[in-house]
Amino acid sequence: MRYAIVGTGRLGLSFALALRTSGAAVAGHTSRSADGRDRADAVLGTPPSPSISALVASVLAWTPGSDLDPAPAAGLRSDGG
């Protein structure tokens, strides 16, 4: 399975390194900033991707903030039922 990292900040880059260490292929990455793209390119040895959707079938995304409830997106009820 190939993975692409959207957002190469501390979490995204750490996740990419963990995936690669476990044997997964990091197919590409992207970041809002040129510094983030350059840093990931240097660490991962993979150039930034202009289109993540062209590389992978699924995208996992993390967003900052603890007020997000993942249950509705997963088709689950927030109350545990």
Side-chain angles (χ1 to χ4, degrees):
M1 184 171 277
R2 298 176 344 144
Y3 294 90
I5 305 300
V6 179
T8 52
R10 282 183 279 168
L11 177 62
L13 196 52
S14 295
F15 187 62
L17 290 171
L19 285 170
R20 190 172 69 181
T21 299
S22 71
V26 178
H29 59 83
T30 189
S31 178
R32 278 187 292 195
S33 72
D35 287 344
R37 291 187 296 274
D38 293 344
R39 182 178 53 251
D41 185 11
V43 171
L44 299 173
T46 305
S49 302
S51 171
I52 295 299
S53 62
L55 296 172
V56 296
S58 299
V59 174
L60 300 174
W62 284 265
T63 58
S66 60
D67 59 339
L68 300 176
D69 184 358
L76 304 172
R77 291 178 20 195
S78 298
D79 62 4

